[in-house]
Amino acid sequence: MQSMRASEFSTSSQSLIEQDQTESQPKITTKSPKKLAFLPLVFLIYFEVSGGPYGEESAVGAAGPLFAILGFLIFPFIWSIPEALVTAELATAYPGNGGFVIWAHQAFGPFWGSLMGSWKFLSGVINLASYPILCVDYLKLVIPIFSSGLPRFVAVFVSTLVLSFLNYSGLSIVGYTAVGLGIVSLCPFIIMSLVAIPKIDPSRWISLGQKGVKKDWTLFINTLFWNLNFWDNASTLAGEVEEPQKLYPRALFSAGILTCLGYVIPLLAATGAIPLDQEDWVDGYLASAGEMIAGKWLKFWIEIGAVLSIIGLFEAQLSSCAYQLLGMADLGILPMIFGARSKWFNTPWLGILISTVIALSVSYLDFTDIISSANFLYSLGMLLEFASFLWLRVKFPALKRPFEVPMGLPGLVVMCLIPSGFLVYVLAVATKAVYLVSALMTLFGVAWYLCMNLSKSKTWFDFKMEEEKLDNEERA
């Protein structure tokens, strides 16, 4: 509801307006016997965003050591921090499952909440499909039979089911598993960095790249962008967090420090200790760098760490997708059955099942354009997210915000404008195939919204009605 100001309003009328604004703040609508604690939340956010320095190598190959180092030092301030601040404010103001869906719903209404949910969910499950494939790609280096054919099909299928069952066993278990996976996968880079210290030549850090190697700025920007993204994904778990108003800002800050150090320190160690051969700096090169710095045993450990990191990425992404569907059911956007929880583990079993089935279906397609389309949809969702953040400041100025970005509206516009420029760039450089696939997915999202509205009017499914939601909202 739009805030209204008029000089003739009495003090009591003004109080009623502010109370009504505060009442728009939904309370957690689902309860979990085991809430997600601080450390597991930190590592779930860490795996949503990063999972380690795997994948940063392309920045060196694209632009040379100096630009790569500066990129991972500077880019967090112009992209990651604004996104994390938006997430911290809105996740604490609306601490329910659904995250960004709730924000768009509160800002612009149910259509945009539903479309946000479609964009982010499709983006999430498509990215989810890639992780078991990456696991099998590493396994085939040890077991060549997994390279193609039926064995590869079975390996992808079984690994997806096993990882999904781990997610079904409970969010607390997934959280502490993420802690273990994060520590073990980071350890080889800590060792590599320590062993590299006496071998480092600081002059290698200021190299602009080898002569004759053309810079690929598109690859460079994309590498930074996608390695420092997705800070908002864990917002869909807000309803499962113990004291989210207190823990979320701290967890985001801690995960941000861990992510940045996890990128910069190994990058400094590898570029400083090894003579530059720029064309070798592609995905997976850090394992070879580890071998050159400390021996083959470290290369093996880094490759094992990559598999563990992929498992962490899968678990974090699946949790985000499943609890997003639960949150959309809480809002009445989806039927109540989507909020069904396991009697044994209290997890959203239907959300996990749907996400797993879609991910499996996508994993057997030639999905280069589909993955690019997923990133396109995510970018659209982020633009809507920034718009929701700004409009909620205008629409509900009296809303209780346990964490509030300490800026006025003009400052917030500037803060959101810079990362929005990167999002527009990602949209502008997409191929025609990506535009087509993204348009079809968006049309599906619109059709789904219309179908759900028809289902409500015909009472084909049970939905959480507005009256029920109001009974669960937090009042001042």
Side-chain angles (χ1 to χ4, degrees):
M1 182 184 65
Q2 188 71 281
S3 176
M4 300 164 65
R5 309 283 187 207
S7 58
E8 65 268 20
F9 276 11
S10 67
T11 304
S12 60
S13 298
Q14 183 65 30
S15 299
L16 287 173
I17 293 172
E18 293 182 356
Q19 180 182 356
D20 196 36
Q21 290 171 344
T22 304
E23 288 175 359
S24 70
Q25 186 171 3
K27 191 179 180 179
I28 300 168
T29 57
T30 51
K31 295 182 179 180
S32 172
K34 289 187 178 180
K35 291 291 187 178
L36 197 61
F38 173 71
L39 192 59
L41 179 60
V42 169
F43 276 88
L44 281 174
I45 296 172
Y46 168 73
F47 276 112
E48 293 282 9
V49 176
S50 167
Y54 310 97
E56 71 173 346
E57 300 98 330
S58 297
V60 178
L66 178 62
F67 286 112
I69 293 168
L70 290 176
F72 280 101
L73 286 173
I74 296 172
F75 200 76
F77 289 93
I78 58 178
W79 169 258
S80 301
I81 290 177
E83 187 183 3
L85 288 173
V86 169
T87 301
E89 177 169 313
L90 295 180
T92 54
Y94 296 100
N97 295 321
F100 35 74
V101 178
I102 300 174
W103 312 339
H105 182 276
Q106 291 292 317
F108 301 116
F111 171 77
W112 290 104
S114 177
L115 190 59
M116 171 74 93
S118 297
W119 282 339
K120 289 294 190 82
F121 180 76
L122 291 172
S123 171
V125 292
I126 291 170
N127 280 306
L128 187 69
S130 66
Y131 300 136
I133 293 173
L134 290 172
C135 273
V136 173
D137 284 343
Y138 275 99
L139 287 175
K140 75 181 182 183
L141 299 176
V142 181
I143 311 173
I145 195 174
F146 290 148
S147 297
S148 60
L150 182 61
R152 179 178 178 83
F153 179 95
V154 173
V156 171
F157 182 81
V158 171
S159 61
T160 302
L161 291 186
V162 170
L163 295 177
S164 296
F165 181 78
L166 174 61
N167 208 276
Y168 172 71
S169 66
L171 187 59
S172 182
I173 292 174
V174 170
Y176 282 105
T177 300
V179 175
L181 292 172
I183 292 172
V184 174
S185 63
L186 281 173
C187 278
F189 294 106
I190 295 173
I191 293 173
M192 183 184 78
S193 301
L194 293 174
V195 175
I197 290 174
K199 304 178 181 181
I200 287 176
D201 178 359
S203 65
R204 292 172 177 157
W205 293 336
I206 60 174
S207 170
L208 298 176
Q210 289 179 298
K211 292 182 178 179
V213 178
K214 187 178 179 180
K215 288 182 170 50
D216 187 341
W217 294 112
T218 299
L219 176 60
F220 176 72
I221 294 295
N222 282 338
T223 301
L224 295 176
F225 187 73
W226 297 114
N227 277 281
L228 291 163
N229 212 341
F230 304 103
W231 293 95
D232 61 329
N233 275 11
S235 66
T236 61
L237 310 176
E240 310 301 308
V241 175
E242 184 178 347
E243 297 184 293
Q245 290 89 346
K246 294 180 180 179
L247 291 191
Y248 247 94
R250 289 168 49 202
L252 282 165
F253 177 77
S254 301
I257 296 296
L258 181 63
T259 297
C260 292
L261 292 178
Y263 281 127
V264 173
I265 292 177
L267 184 60
L268 289 171
T271 54
I274 301 172
L276 179 64
D277 191 345
Q278 197 169 336
E279 293 182 350
D280 288 342
W281 281 84
V282 295
D283 288 350
Y285 182 70
L286 281 176
S288 300
E291 181 179 11
M292 286 184 274
I293 290 171
K296 196 164 188 176
W297 63 271
L298 186 57
K299 177 183 180 181
F300 183 67
W301 191 356
I302 291 175
E303 289 174 342
I304 292 175
V307 175
L308 297 178
S309 177
I310 292 167
I311 293 172
L313 290 166
F314 181 95
E315 297 299 337
Q317 184 65 69
L318 180 55
S319 295
S320 176
C321 291
Y323 282 92
Q324 177 191 325
L325 295 183
L326 186 150
M328 292 174 74
D330 286 344
L331 285 170
I333 294 175
L334 294 177
M336 290 175 65
I337 185 63
F338 282 82
R341 289 179 180 261
S342 164
K343 294 179 180 178
W344 295 283
F345 304 111
N346 202 46
T347 46
W349 66 268
L350 185 58
I352 293 172
L353 178 63
I354 291 171
S355 302
T356 301
V357 169
I358 296 176
L360 271 173
S361 303
V362 172
S363 66
Y364 295 115
L365 301 175
D366 181 9
F367 60 100
T368 302
D369 286 332
I370 298 178
I371 284 286
S372 298
S373 300
N375 294 335
F376 189 97
L377 294 182
Y378 178 83
S379 299
L380 288 174
M382 281 305 306
L383 287 172
L384 178 55
E385 188 173 310
F386 285 133
S388 300
F389 170 70
L390 294 173
W391 187 240
L392 284 169
R393 276 293 189 96
V394 175
K395 188 177 183 181
F396 297 132
L399 180 70
K400 182 181 178 183
R401 293 172 170 87
F403 174 87
E404 184 170 338
V405 181
M407 294 184 191
L409 188 61
L412 295 176
V413 170
V414 173
M415 183 188 81
C416 294
L417 195 59
I418 297 174
S420 295
F422 286 105
L423 293 168
V424 171
Y425 169 79
V426 170
L427 299 177
V429 298
T431 63
K432 292 181 180 178
V434 170
Y435 283 125
L436 176 61
V437 175
S438 300
L440 291 174
M441 290 182 179
T442 300
L443 287 175
F444 170 80
V446 173
W448 181 264
Y449 171 75
L450 297 175
C451 181
M452 290 299 98
N453 275 353
L454 182 62
S455 297
K456 288 179 186 178
S457 64
K458 299 292 185 180
T459 63
W460 292 338
F461 300 101
D462 291 329
F463 287 81
K464 187 167 286 190
M465 294 293 104
E466 192 66 27
E467 292 80 9
E468 297 176 64
K469 288 184 279 182
L470 285 173
D471 287 340
N472 287 310
E473 286 178 356
E474 184 176 18
R475 285 168 164 75

